[in-house]
Amino acid sequence: MPTEKPAPSLHDLFGEAAPRPAAGGEVVQVLTPVGLDLSYSYRVPHGMEVRPGSIVQVPLGPRRVVGVVTAEPAELSASSNRLRPIEAVFNAPPLTPEMLAFVDWVARYTLTPRGMVMRMVLRAPDALEPEPPLRGLVATSAPPERLTDARRRVLALLAENEGQAWTRAGLAAAAGVSPSVVEGLVTAGTLAEVELAPGRPFRAPDPDFNPIALTPDQSAAVARLRKAQDDGVTLIDGVTGSGKTEVYLEAVADALRAGRQALILVPEIALTRAFLERFSERFGALPAEWHSDVGPKMRARAWRAVALGEARVVVGARSALFLPFSDLGLIVVDEEHDGAYKQEEWASYHARDMAVVRGRLERIPVILASATPSLESRVNAARGRYRHIVLPARATGRDLPSLYAIDMRKAGPPRGRFLAPGLVAAIREVTARGEQAMLFLNRRGYAPLTLCRSCGHRFQCPQCSAWLVEHRFRGRLVCHHCGHSVPRPEACPSCGTLDSLVACGPGVERIAEEMQTLLPDKRTVVLSSDIGGGVQRLRAEFEAVARGECDIVVGTQMVAKGHTFPKLTLVGVVDADLSLSQGDPRAAERTFQLLAQVTGRAGRVIGKGLGLLQTYAPESPVIEALVSGDAERFYRTELAERERSAMPPFGRLAAILVSGPSRELAEDHARHLARMAPRDPAVEVLGPAEAALAVVRGRHRFRLIAHSGRDTDLSAYMRAWIAAADRPTRGVEAYVDVDPQNFL
């Protein structure tokens, strides 16, 4: 992670003090949210005043766009005839100097144009002006000349709620009358119009509302957090169920007592509902939410409330890191190891690493929490860069689950089945006791491959070098990379043979089908991101599982994180080797984290937890470390291997992914890039080579990798490399990914 890269200090950006506001007639630089690094000079009209961070509207070519005034010196003088004026200043708080510094840092480190990073900050354009007030109604002392039964109901409701203001629709609905009845009372003067504040205000969480009784380990952890310096990074490294959340919520309470704001990042939207309930129980109010499932109006309200300091705590996905907090006092990154924190579209960044950067620029504490910390965080803790707090036991006092490997070479299932007899027997036993079992397979759908047994035809995506995945619940074959989808045919499209299609390999739907065949009297539910009904249904299913309304859960990786199912005592991993076969430098780490997290769901509340891992390689370091219960054994082995090969966290990687409409065009530009790589003995350039997924969405892909030591400024090297090369043409694109997490 980028802890060694020097960040610009606020002194570097603003000198000894923030610059004075710019008044009419002066020239300022404005950064617009487009794919450019440059800011442009604009004249401040007379009567207008702006300062660095002011959000403004400016002309850009034929368009009007939103922009932010920067602290850079003006590039053009006031006498230049090329100057265009700022058209308006939005009624929103200016971005803070720390926020401007953060935008510049992220852009320089990730090689993302500054305008695109600023675009992430300005993601709620409707929030830039106050929301217009609503028109409401209140009762007056004037009675209507004529009374009807409907009018009497309205008047009775108003009398019961004396002094309350109502919207027209709300009053009509509450009284059970038509809107025309309400309008008639307005005309009669019985109701008068007033202005209502738009939306529901964000209630301030109370840090002393419902303090949680902490275990001795948790209390010691909270005490260490309070004794620590005001800023810096703390890694809370606790086993599953150790109560890490309760510890960092006390840090949130301390930030609230100090009158400051807090940001809590979570990796998955599906995690937020249960977390919000825990937060509300602790603080007596809900935090603001920020993620893709929040509608545009609520996003605008949350953005503005954050900027004004009215939203004291935000819980959100990785993009919440770019909210314009007015007085941020704490950042928490829950499940800090999770791959969902890596953004890989148009602006590449890792939210965990950038949270550390923002914390340093804001001079505030950052807390990273995980039961299976990333190797980067473990190394930073070992080197003293992070404080390290360990929670070694579950908060409930229950033991961690016992884990056993099922050697599929010796004790595997009969032909046509995917669950070993020993695993099926264990499921039958725990469900007979009224407990729950979970089967984990990180593969969506029914089967990863469908072929014709007559001619061997395989169903492949026409736009990607990937097989179509059968989703039997929906009756479709789907590509998980581009979304291409077709109905499952009755006959082979190649040879025309009817009923010749065979599903090869299991997905979660097929495992659920096998369970229903073997244990038809047990209730089985599938938890996967692509089940019908979207996030709302998924949350309802999670809540039903937590209430014990099913016997067997079959799920993908989303069941591995942050959930407590009280009756769950058995977790079976269908294919423990699945991620190990990808040839990814991070495969062992990801597999260990995922399997440790998912098996850690077992036995958290009742019973003795048990985890069974179906594997064809029980001798692998990952499986041996899990079965032995010795996490440190895995970290020692994997860190030693990474250090030998100078791979992260002991080295640095950056990738260039070249894609084009044809293989020839993409390969030609990739080879040109390889020739233009700067000669530097500290950097090794590998490639170009076809990406593991050579074609995605009809675009052919080649990858180059730059590998360096830990102390090399690899971002600067990549910047010089891109500058030396020709710009791609003819539909070819080159995408730079500093610190890549995905090698497909």
Side-chain angles (χ1 to χ4, degrees):
M1 83 187 277
T3 51
E4 289 90 349
K5 177 115 173 58
S9 68
L10 298 181
H11 179 274
D12 294 336
L13 293 166
F14 300 104
E16 294 296 338
R20 64 177 178 79
E26 297 188 53
V27 180
V28 296
Q29 294 296 114
V30 176
L31 180 64
T32 55
V34 295
L36 297 171
D37 247 344
L38 302 173
S39 59
Y40 294 99
S41 298
Y42 288 89
R43 178 171 50 81
V44 181
H46 290 286
M48 180 184 290
E49 186 177 282
V50 298
R51 65 176 65 246
S54 292
I55 304 174
V56 296
Q57 178 177 287
V58 294
L60 185 67
R63 298 179 295 152
R64 290 179 172 87
V65 299
V66 176
V68 175
V69 177
T70 72
E72 302 161 286
E75 295 179 0
L76 297 178
S77 68
S79 61
S80 172
N81 58 10
R82 295 166 53 196
L83 277 178
R84 302 174 76 179
I86 295 174
E87 294 183 347
V89 181
F90 288 99
N91 185 10
L95 302 184
T96 63
E98 292 82 3
M99 192 72 207
L100 293 177
F102 182 58
V103 168
D104 285 351
W105 206 104
V106 173
R108 185 164 59 253
Y109 185 82
T110 64
L111 273 69
T112 302
R114 282 197 305 158
M116 297 304 285
V117 180
M118 186 60 76
R119 181 179 173 185
M120 292 192 287
V121 178
L122 304 175
R123 288 290 290 273
D126 291 343
L128 299 179
E129 291 287 348
E131 196 174 345
L134 299 174
R135 305 299 296 176
L137 300 173
V138 295
T140 69
S141 58
E145 293 182 0
R146 184 172 60 87
L147 279 175
T148 64
D149 288 342
R151 287 185 169 187
R152 288 190 181 95
R153 290 202 299 274
V154 174
L155 294 176
L157 181 63
L158 293 170
E160 291 173 9
N161 299 271
E162 187 176 355
Q164 179 175 328
W166 299 79
T167 63
R168 281 172 163 77
L171 180 57
V177 300
S178 68
S180 63
V181 174
V182 174
E183 287 300 329
L185 291 172
V186 173
T187 303
T190 305
L191 296 175
E193 285 194 341
V194 295
E195 287 190 351
L196 301 178
R200 182 179 298 175
F202 289 91
R203 288 178 53 202
D206 180 357
D208 302 308
F209 175 76
N210 183 25
I212 299 169
L214 301 176
T215 67
D217 284 345
Q218 290 172 324
S219 297
V222 171
R224 283 195 61 191
L225 283 174
R226 287 174 175 160
K227 287 180 181 177
Q229 302 173 357
D230 290 339
D231 57 3
V233 183
T234 301
L235 172 63
I236 302 179
D237 177 359
V239 299
T240 53
S242 59
K244 298 177 290 294
T245 302
E246 285 72 22
V247 171
Y248 70 65
L249 285 182
E250 291 308 304
V252 171
D254 288 342
L256 292 172
R257 293 186 187 102
R260 308 198 71 184
Q261 295 169 290
L263 168 64
I264 304 172
L265 297 179
V266 294
E268 295 280 359
I269 295 173
L271 294 179
T272 56
R273 182 58 53 198
F275 181 85
L276 293 176
E277 292 174 359
R278 293 174 72 177
F279 186 95
S280 180
E281 289 174 6
R282 171 63 181 86
F283 295 104
L286 290 169
E289 293 183 64
W290 185 267
H291 49 75
S292 61
D293 199 41
V294 176
K297 181 173 284 190
M298 284 307 300
R299 285 171 71 88
R301 287 178 182 166
W303 192 99
R304 190 168 183 86
V306 166
L308 293 170
E310 296 169 356
R312 307 307 299 168
V313 181
V314 175
V315 174
R318 61 185 180 233
S319 59
L321 187 61
F322 292 88
L323 286 172
F325 288 89
S326 63
D327 187 17
L328 187 58
L330 172 70
I331 301 175
V332 177
V333 185
D334 198 13
E335 306 289 356
E336 63 87 27
H337 67 278
D338 198 285
Y341 285 123
K342 176 68 175 184
Q343 161 100 5
E344 294 179 329
E345 304 158 359
W346 55 270
S348 170
Y349 68 92
H350 198 298
R352 177 199 63 219
D353 297 354
M354 296 304 104
V356 172
V357 171
R358 185 163 187 187
R360 189 170 71 236
L361 292 171
E362 301 267 5
R363 297 182 176 85
I364 61 172
V366 176
I367 295 174
L368 311 179
S370 176
T372 53
S374 63
L375 295 184
E376 285 84 352
S377 294
R378 283 291 300 255
V379 168
N380 280 326
R383 291 176 174 174
R385 296 194 186 103
Y386 296 172
R387 292 179 288 273
H388 193 189
I389 295 176
V390 178
L391 297 173
R394 284 181 161 176
T396 59
R398 296 195 170 274
D399 293 334
L400 290 170
S402 300
L403 303 186
Y404 300 93
I406 297 177
D407 189 340
M408 298 288 277
R409 299 167 300 187
K410 301 175 181 177
R415 186 176 179 84
R417 302 283 187 194
F418 300 97
L419 302 178
L423 177 55
V424 174
I427 295 170
R428 184 176 284 111
E429 181 180 337
V430 300
T431 54
R433 295 198 301 261
E435 298 165 5
Q436 289 174 318
M438 176 188 288
L439 291 171
F440 169 74
L441 175 62
N442 201 20
R443 187 183 278 150
R444 294 176 286 161
Y446 184 84
L449 171 65
T450 300
L451 57 79
C452 173
R453 71 179 123 213
S454 295
C455 70
H457 172 76
R458 299 183 177 201
F459 286 82
Q460 184 171 354
C461 176
Q463 304 179 84
C464 306
S465 51
W467 306 119
L468 294 180
V469 176
E470 180 179 351
H471 286 252
R472 190 157 292 186
F473 291 176
R474 291 188 277 160
R476 301 191 71 82
L477 301 175
V478 180
C479 175
H480 288 168
H481 300 284
C482 72
H484 173 79
S485 173
V486 295
R488 186 181 188 275
E490 295 294 330
C492 173
S494 178
C495 68
T497 306
L498 286 169
D499 299 324
S500 65
L501 303 184
V502 179
C504 300
V508 286
E509 294 176 10
R510 193 168 195 175
I511 296 302
E513 180 182 86
E514 184 169 332
M515 272 285 85
Q516 290 165 350
T517 300
L518 294 171
L519 300 174
D521 59 325
K522 302 302 179 184
R523 298 163 296 175
T524 301
V525 64
V526 174
L527 294 179
S528 175
S529 60
D530 51 11
I531 65 173
V535 173
Q536 297 304 322
R537 179 186 169 187
L538 197 57
R539 286 175 175 169
E541 296 280 20
F542 272 112
E543 291 167 4
V545 173
R547 292 192 299 267
E549 295 176 4
C550 73
D551 302 297
I552 302 165
V553 181
V554 183
T556 59
Q557 66 177 355
M558 62 170 43
V559 302
K561 317 166 189 177
H563 303 290
T564 296
F565 303 127
K567 297 178 68 176
L568 182 67
T569 57
L570 169 67
V571 172
V573 178
V574 176
D575 187 351
D577 312 321
L578 180 61
S579 299
L580 290 173
S581 59
Q582 294 179 352
D584 188 320
R586 298 181 183 271
E589 179 185 8
R590 286 201 186 111
T591 300
F592 175 81
Q593 290 166 338
L594 190 56
L595 298 187
Q597 291 276 348
V598 72
T599 54
R601 304 303 108 193
R604 296 178 71 148
V605 177
I606 66 169
K608 170 62 179 172
L610 174 65
L612 299 177
L613 314 178
Q614 293 192 161
T615 174
Y616 288 92
E619 68 285 351
S620 76
V622 171
I623 302 300
E624 287 184 343
L626 287 165
V627 170
S628 69
D630 185 2
E632 293 304 314
R633 175 180 178 178
F634 167 76
Y635 282 109
R636 286 193 302 270
T637 302
E638 186 65 14
L639 284 170
E641 179 61 31
R642 296 274 189 97
E643 190 167 20
R644 278 193 297 271
S645 56
M647 295 295 285
F650 302 101
R652 298 282 311 282
L653 293 174
I656 301 179
L657 184 65
V658 179
S659 68
S662 71
R663 189 181 191 280
E664 293 74 18
L665 288 173
E667 185 175 13
D668 284 348
H669 189 72
R671 293 193 179 282
H672 165 71
L673 283 172
R675 291 192 298 270
M676 299 306 296
R679 304 299 178 188
D680 188 333
V683 180
E684 179 185 17
V685 175
L686 306 172
E690 271 195 318
L693 279 171
V695 184
V696 174
R697 296 183 178 92
R699 295 184 64 83
H700 296 257
R701 311 190 318 154
F702 283 80
R703 184 183 294 274
L704 299 99
I705 298 286
H707 180 206
S708 73
R710 189 67 208 167
D711 297 329
T712 300
D713 188 345
L714 197 54
S715 295
Y717 177 89
M718 300 300 291
R719 195 174 298 109
W721 185 359
I722 294 299
D726 295 339
R727 293 177 63 86
T729 59
R730 294 190 290 175
V732 175
E733 296 176 355
Y735 165 79
V736 179
D737 186 3
V738 178
D739 301 330
Q741 303 290 308
N742 186 345
F743 292 84
L744 292 179

